[in-house]
Amino acid sequence: MAKKRRIVIALGGNALGNTLPEQMAAVKITAKAIVDLIEEGCEVVVAHGNGPQVGMVNNAMIALTHEDVQQPNTPLSVCVAMSQAYIGYDLQNALREELLNRGIFDIPVATMITQVRVDENDPAFQAPSKPIGKFVTAKQAKMMEENFDYVMKEDSGRGYRRVVASPKPVEIVEISTIRTMVNSGNLVIACGGGIPVTRQGNHLKGASAVIDKDFASCLLAKELDADYLIILTAVEKVALNFGKPDETWLADVSVEEAQRYVTEGHFAVGSMFTKVEAAVDFAASKPGRTALITLLEKSRDAIQGKTGTMFHQ
């Protein structure tokens, strides 16, 4: 019997929606694409982002402190944990239902609430830049800075938003458990945003940060010795000179070529840059490893080599 290809999928925000009803509808579509890959003979591990969701949880917790002065402010790491749990709840139910609908009864689905260790000396902590939560007025921003020790920044004339650090992940704390579950045949949902923690002796302390899902997914894929990392986004392929008259779509890219394109500044920071960087990191980490960037609904075609942008050594 041929060995199954192990794939880590990094789901973007478009696969999850921005509200609870949107998420419930979106995960049904997402589940179909993931089970398509399973029917292709792949062993799938699911990772995902949580930007809109953690912002929503954070807003709800702030509202609670306004209603009840006895309620302490909720740490961002706890908000991330909450978002992991409810996203995982919707995803695992949608995946289980889709598997059963297709007559696949031997693949259990489980969510692993995952802590991801970051370096407390990461430079990102000195320059918070990742916006979360809703826009507020200057007066509200000042109150949040004074009462909650938040860093607030004005955003393009639209108001103020909280910004937090986005440090690089250095360790997936629960990796041994995740690996055991995957090796046992489970469809595992893990590293959902990654609960950011720093190590203080034997204690793991929650950090006021969010972890980029592409970098967390890359680390997860390397730790699980995956064959593929598939980063799903809003376009079918990566482009050079995106949106310009000389736009060029990339199909097959070597690590060296991709690194040159990054150096030349082809990919926008906050958009395609981190996806390409994570794809290159994974593809370069070991011979035979391949990264793909494509649309969710094109993931089956991408794994067959029909579309998407493929990164390899």
Side-chain angles (χ1 to χ4, degrees):
M1 183 175 174
K3 177 181 177 291
K4 290 185 176 181
R5 291 170 292 179
R6 179 170 289 182
I7 296 174
V8 171
I9 293 180
L11 298 177
N14 59 327
L16 298 172
N18 292 306
T19 66
L20 290 175
E22 280 185 15
Q23 178 171 293
M24 197 163 288
V27 294
K28 290 183 180 297
I29 298 169
T30 300
K32 292 181 186 299
I34 292 171
V35 178
D36 280 348
L37 291 173
I38 291 171
E39 287 190 330
E40 281 292 311
C42 300
E43 182 182 69
V44 179
V45 182
V46 180
H48 61 82
N50 65 343
Q53 295 81 7
V54 76
M56 183 173 67
V57 172
N58 187 62
N59 290 342
M61 294 298 101
I62 290 173
L64 180 61
T65 64
H66 291 168
E67 291 176 9
D68 183 354
V69 294
Q70 300 302 314
Q71 287 287 345
N73 187 41
T74 305
L76 184 58
S77 56
V78 176
C79 294
V80 173
M82 291 178 178
S83 71
Q84 272 193 16
Y86 89 74
I87 293 170
Y89 163 63
D90 276 350
L91 263 177
Q92 68 185 29
N93 280 345
L95 285 165
R96 179 181 179 276
E97 182 177 344
E98 186 64 26
L99 287 165
L100 295 178
N101 286 346
R102 301 199 200 185
I104 302 172
F105 304 106
D106 59 346
I107 300 180
V109 187
T111 299
M112 185 72 207
I113 304 302
T114 312
Q115 299 174 95
V116 176
R117 186 173 67 83
V118 298
D119 183 351
E120 63 181 2
N121 297 314
D122 190 302
F125 284 110
Q126 304 304 316
S129 60
K130 188 79 170 178
I132 64 165
K134 63 182 180 180
F135 289 98
V136 298
T137 65
K139 182 178 179 181
Q140 291 171 317
K142 188 171 186 297
M143 182 274 293
M144 290 177 174
E145 287 178 332
E146 291 174 349
N147 292 354
F148 304 141
D149 200 27
Y150 285 179
V151 177
M152 307 294 294
K153 286 189 178 179
E154 198 275 332
D155 189 335
S156 307
R158 295 178 291 176
Y160 288 77
R161 290 181 80 187
R162 182 185 181 188
V163 292
V164 298
S166 184
K168 288 285 186 73
V170 295
E171 178 190 3
I172 298 168
V173 176
E174 287 78 18
I175 190 62
S176 294
T177 305
I178 295 168
R179 188 181 292 115
T180 298
M181 293 167 70
V182 173
N183 290 343
S184 298
N186 287 264
L187 199 177
V188 181
I189 301 160
C191 287
I195 303 167
V197 295
T198 58
R199 190 181 301 283
Q200 297 183 348
N202 290 330
H203 175 65
L204 294 174
K205 178 179 173 57
S208 184
V210 292
I211 298 170
D212 185 274
K213 69 104 174 46
D214 298 317
F215 293 140
S217 300
C218 175
L219 180 58
L220 178 65
K222 289 192 288 188
E223 290 288 344
L224 292 176
D225 196 22
D227 301 295
Y228 287 86
L229 169 65
I230 302 182
I231 299 175
L232 300 176
T233 186
V235 292
E236 189 169 339
K237 294 181 179 180
V238 176
L240 301 180
N241 305 311
F242 182 71
K244 299 177 181 178
D246 57 344
E247 179 180 83
T248 304
W249 297 99
L250 301 174
D252 191 276
V253 187
S254 71
V255 166
E256 291 77 14
E257 288 174 316
Q259 288 171 332
R260 187 175 76 250
Y261 295 146
V262 168
T263 302
E264 291 171 356
H266 283 283
F267 310 117
V269 175
S271 177
M272 193 57 73
F273 181 82
T274 56
K275 294 173 177 57
V276 171
E277 196 173 11
V280 170
D281 185 359
F282 178 73
S285 63
K286 186 178 179 181
R289 288 179 175 173
T290 302
L292 286 161
I293 297 178
T294 193
L295 282 167
L296 169 69
E297 56 268 31
K298 294 290 186 177
S299 51
R300 176 183 248 172
D301 287 343
I303 209 72
Q304 294 174 345
K306 296 177 181 178
T307 191
T309 301
M310 180 178 293
F311 299 81
H312 56 86
Q313 285 195 29

